Amino acid sequence: MSESYVINEKRELILDRVKEFIYQNGGVVKKSQLNELGIDYRRILDFVEKGDLIRIKNGYYAVRLSDFSEEELIARLFPDCVLNLETALYAYGYLDRKPYGYKLSVDKNTSKSRFKLDFPPVVPLYAEPETLTLGVTEIGYGGAKMKIFDRERLMCECLKYEDKMERELFKEGLLAYIRDPKKDVAKLMKYARERRVVKKVQTMIGVWL
């Protein structure tokens, strides 16, 4: 048995062990989790270089990107973030066209480097931490469970950050909410007071209610 055969066999055994560990941990793992295996990190870098593993972004690894939808990747990489603006409007069915990228509200104190990835594209919306609990719920989206602002909080966000949105998508989203039989006007006004957009709600939505 040649030395190269033995080396390759050992490599494959280690790779199988790493892949099994990744799948056991939901399909995406951090570098710190891989450290639990006691494998020289240079091995992991070699697996990535040879195409045996995928580095989704710095410090996060998967076996294959095709194992996940974009939404599943977002849910795994950013479990603390909240879907907002166009992304949330589309998740509620308020937009016909899926917008580019994922707009996520996140604690302003989080590391900016977290969002440096080639795919899927992410647009972080940095917010005061205390604003990230008001009106937050969960939604099934693209095969994943994700945090999202409820409809009324979302409308207040769209009005507050109108300048960060595509004009046509902003109008389409507001009109869809106005037509939505599930809307809760009392809750909308409550959030509007907290988010300081009462006048905008009255002038841009109130006239249609």
Side-chain angles (χ1 to χ4, degrees), residues 14-48 52-63:
I14 294 173
L15 178 59
D16 287 344
R17 187 177 163 209
V18 172
K19 285 182 176 180
E20 183 181 359
F21 179 81
I22 291 174
Y23 282 127
Q24 286 176 345
N25 285 273
V28 175
V29 296
K30 300 178 185 178
K31 176 185 174 183
S32 59
Q33 290 174 282
L34 289 173
N35 291 340
E36 296 173 23
L37 293 173
I39 296 171
D40 189 329
Y41 187 60
R42 286 173 293 185
R43 282 276 190 188
I44 304 301
L45 297 179
D46 176 65
F47 293 149
V48 171
D52 298 307
L53 297 178
I54 300 293
R55 179 161 51 196
I56 302 172
K57 64 170 187 162
N58 189 34
Y60 284 80
Y61 299 87
V63 178

Side-chain angles (χ1 to χ4, degrees), residues 152-160 188 191-192 195 197:
E152 284 66 37
R153 170 72 195 271
L154 175 58
M155 285 302 105
C156 291
E157 293 301 296
C158 290
L159 291 168
K160 192 174 184 71
L188 176 66
Y191 289 158
R195 298 300 285 153
V197 290

Side-chain angles (χ1 to χ4, degrees), residues 64-108:
R64 289 185 302 269
L65 283 180
S66 58
D67 290 335
F68 309 98
S69 67
E70 290 183 18
E71 291 78 16
E72 286 173 323
L73 276 177
I74 292 294
R76 283 170 167 77
L77 294 173
F78 308 108
D80 55 318
C81 297
V82 186
L83 295 181
N84 200 357
L85 302 184
E86 290 98 331
T87 309
L89 290 173
Y90 182 78
Y92 279 125
Y94 286 175
L95 301 181
D96 293 329
R97 172 171 60 89
K98 187 175 184 178
Y100 174 78
Y102 292 81
K103 289 190 175 177
L104 307 175
S105 284
V106 61
D107 187 331
K108 69 174 187 178

Side-chain angles (χ1 to χ4, degrees), residues 167-179:
R167 186 64 190 167
E168 288 305 310
L169 297 184
F170 171 77
K171 289 165 62 178
E172 184 181 345
L174 255 63
L175 288 173
Y177 173 77
I178 289 164
R179 294 191 296 264

Side-chain angles (χ1 to χ4, degrees), residues 1-12:
M1 188 178 293
S2 69
E3 184 179 348
S4 63
Y5 176 85
V6 172
I7 291 173
N8 286 335
E9 186 176 37
K10 181 181 178 183
R11 181 185 186 279
E12 290 304 309

